Amino acid sequence: KMAGSSAPWIGSAYLFLQSTCKTIVLPSLYESSQKKPSVFKALKLALADSTGSMNGVDMLKVHCSHPHLIVQLKFCKQENCRRFLQSYREGALQKSLQNHLQLSLAMTTVPLEMELKAGNEHLDKMLKDEDRCLECIYREKPDRLRDEEITELEECLKSLIVHHSFNNNMAVKDCPSLNSPSLPYPSRGSSLSPQVTFIFQGQEFANRTLTPDDHQKFAKLVSKKWKQVGRSLQKTCRALRDPVIDNLALEYDREGLYEQAYQLLLRFIQSEGKKATIARLIAALEENGLISLAEELLGLHSNEDCS
């Protein structure tokens, strides 16, 4: 049933992870822009330990499905998959991941429970039959390419490995572009990143990082159009991709429009860091016809209210 030597051996499986400690919620840690690099680093290193190679198994996507963190895995060689299964069966993968999470997150202990599935098959029930597990994984072909976010995290980790030893904690400040491929701007290596000035209504303005004052004015004046502005920002901000905006609307429904708009821009600022610039917000406001709010943020009129 296995592929012949001419065809590549490719299979897929899902690794379900859950902390048995109530105070450690893995999906929440992964959803945090500050903790995500640390969790990813621990996953990557533990998987590398299990196969004996940094490229032994590929992560295609990490799903946050409370209380589980679900990692979609792709294997390109049968021997790597076999090594992974042995490590998983013997508990070495679990121990390795616990150790790497403790180091990366600077915690005393991270107790874990793991499950392994391929399609509808629960592989934990058949771990002693390694060939059957391999067959189930081989039958499941990956249904997606690697998620863009994973590619960014991989690149970031590679650049850190060059500059630091594995034992150093991975800090977000080392990886400013982590959560967002900010498309309109030059790449990180460019001296013009992001652009220094931008044009609005024929005038040139300095492109600065958003301030707390901008944040409050936006929340106060954007009113019902905060969702539309969010969808414009979403095009270049991964932290605002679906279903984040709808979730914010539900979560802060009782607090009203100000809080919903405030939380939207807070997500943008937290994920983009220095790339959360006034130019990007003004472009989103222009796109949705909120010219007077754009003028207000740029100080073009002082007392007029915005619709």
Side-chain angles (χ1 to χ4, degrees), residues 43-83:
L43 285 169
K44 185 73 182 167
L45 296 182
L47 289 169
D49 289 345
S50 74
T51 59
S53 162
M54 283 300 275
N55 303 314
V57 55
D58 198 11
M59 279 189 272
L60 296 183
K61 186 172 175 64
V62 178
H63 305 263
C64 294
S65 177
H66 291 261
H68 291 101
L69 198 64
I70 308 169
V71 188
Q72 187 174 2
L73 303 173
K74 175 186 175 184
F75 298 92
C76 287
K77 289 183 180 176
Q78 186 180 327
E79 57 266 35
N80 287 334
C81 190
R82 196 180 286 278
R83 281 195 206 105

Side-chain angles (χ1 to χ4, degrees), residues 136-169:
C136 291
I137 291 171
Y138 175 67
R139 254 201 324 265
E140 290 300 315
K141 298 304 180 204
D143 59 357
R144 60 156 57 242
L145 296 173
R146 187 197 288 179
D147 196 61
E148 285 174 32
E149 183 175 63
I150 298 289
T151 304
E152 287 172 39
L153 287 160
E154 292 260 3
E155 289 305 312
C156 191
L157 185 56
K158 277 180 198 166
S159 66
L160 282 176
I161 290 167
V162 172
H163 296 111
H164 306 272
S165 74
F166 269 159
N167 294 327
N168 277 2
N169 281 354

